[in-house]
Amino acid sequence: MTAILLSPLGSAGGVEARLADEAWFTVDELAARAGITVRTLRFYAAKGLLPPPELGPRRVGRYGPEHLGRLELIEELQRQGLTLAAIERYLTQLPDDIGSLDLAVHRALVASWQPETAERITREQLERRAGRPLTDEDLNRLAATGAILPQPPAEDGSVPVDFPVDPGLLPLGLRILDVPIPLETLVAARAVVRLHSRATAHDLHRLFRDTVWRPFRASEPDPEGLERMKELTAHIEPLAVQALVTAFQRSLAEELAAPAE
């Protein structure tokens, strides 16, 4: 989804370079954008989970999109119940020069196993995460990505003070606010992703059911074999997701590399 929405601006590398030039944060701004405290940020840095900041004017530390992407990934891993030691092992397997977009892909894969539970967040908290005041148009754009679920005005006409938020999509939605993509494009992009992902899931499920599960059941397996098959099929979902993400990344790279019509 990140790559789809950013692709009109050019290659992923070009977008990342553009964002890197524009998005620098102080330690307070970075903590606010990640939705954590400065104390937590410094704790991660002391554990070696976060690279040191670059030195800006007057030797003040400044943080970039890669720091934010890594923090969002760390927080997602923690929500999944991983220990700090496990998170450290996960991060050490990543390339040293991994960029913010690749970090976003890793976070999206981790978040795909998180239950779809909405949290509530106030507009003030949302603006701290965004790093700036949000207009009604911004809220509409966040809604178009599925990051928030706007609430209708109350019967007395008052505006709700908080919103249901999808924790998995909120970081993506906030990043999209900085990209000049029309609202109707966001709505259409989300519809395309949902349509084709649902169709792919349906076809894969039908293929597995007809060629694997039904023949296996027809062989009249014993209870032990049936239980073993159920355990094995539980591993298919993460493998299918990884295969789809890899195939999609390669297909998108080919589309972006093709000459413009």
Side-chain angles (χ1 to χ4, degrees):
M1 182 66 172
T2 304
I4 287 177
L5 296 176
L6 294 180
S7 61
L9 298 180
S11 68
V15 172
E16 203 157 278
R18 172 183 173 274
L19 294 178
D21 288 339
E22 296 180 0
W24 289 106
F25 316 111
T26 65
V27 65
D28 294 305
E29 291 169 340
L30 179 64
R33 291 292 293 266
I36 62 176
T37 65
V38 173
R39 181 178 180 180
T40 299
L41 189 156
R42 295 193 189 282
F43 174 76
Y44 289 153
K47 289 289 185 180
L49 303 180
L50 196 66
E54 293 190 18
L55 292 179
R58 298 186 298 277
R59 299 186 62 80
V60 175
R62 62 180 191 174
Y63 299 83
E66 290 78 15
H67 292 92
L68 178 58
R70 189 170 288 255
L71 277 177
E72 290 171 345
L73 177 57
I74 292 170
E75 286 294 292
E76 196 65 62
L77 291 169
Q78 282 213 317
R79 280 195 288 269
Q80 295 296 323
L82 271 69
T83 64
L84 285 176
I87 293 174
E88 184 176 4
R89 288 195 297 271
Y90 185 100
L91 295 178
T92 56
Q93 297 176 16
L94 301 178
D96 292 336
D97 59 348
I98 189 170
S100 60
L101 293 183
D102 287 328
L103 286 167
V105 170
H106 277 271
R107 195 194 65 79
L109 283 171
V110 174
S112 67
W113 312 119
Q114 182 175 324
E116 296 182 1
T117 55
E119 300 175 359
R120 298 196 74 89
I121 186 171
T122 66
R123 187 161 183 163
E124 181 182 358
Q125 292 171 323
L126 198 57
E127 289 179 340
R128 283 204 300 269
R129 292 289 300 271
R132 60 180 174 83
L134 297 176
T135 64
D136 290 342
E137 175 66 15
D138 290 331
L139 296 181
N140 288 334
R141 289 166 64 81
L142 288 173
T145 64
I148 68 171
L149 302 174
Q151 300 297 287
E155 293 183 359
D156 61 1
S158 60
V159 178
V161 296
D162 58 6
F163 307 91
V165 171
D166 185 321
L169 289 176
L170 182 58
L172 167 63
L174 292 176
R175 287 171 184 264
I176 294 303
L177 291 180
D178 297 325
V179 182
I181 299 178
L183 177 61
E184 56 270 21
T185 302
L186 293 176
V187 174
R190 188 180 180 211
V192 168
V193 171
R194 291 173 65 89
L195 173 65
H196 290 284
S197 61
R198 179 164 296 180
T200 301
H202 174 76
D203 289 344
L204 288 176
H205 176 262
R206 182 178 58 184
L207 179 65
F208 178 81
R209 179 194 63 201
D210 294 345
T211 65
V212 178
W213 186 247
R214 283 180 175 170
F216 177 76
R217 291 296 298 266
S219 68
E220 299 182 353
D222 57 40
E224 183 177 345
L226 185 61
E227 191 61 31
R228 176 61 176 162
M229 186 61 170
K230 290 180 179 179
E231 292 176 0
L232 291 174
T233 55
H235 296 284
I236 292 178
E237 185 178 353
L239 292 175
V241 170
Q242 183 63 63
L244 286 171
V245 169
T246 301
F248 176 74
Q249 284 183 300
R250 290 175 179 171
S251 297
L252 183 64
E254 292 172 359
E255 288 290 328
L256 295 175
E261 296 182 358

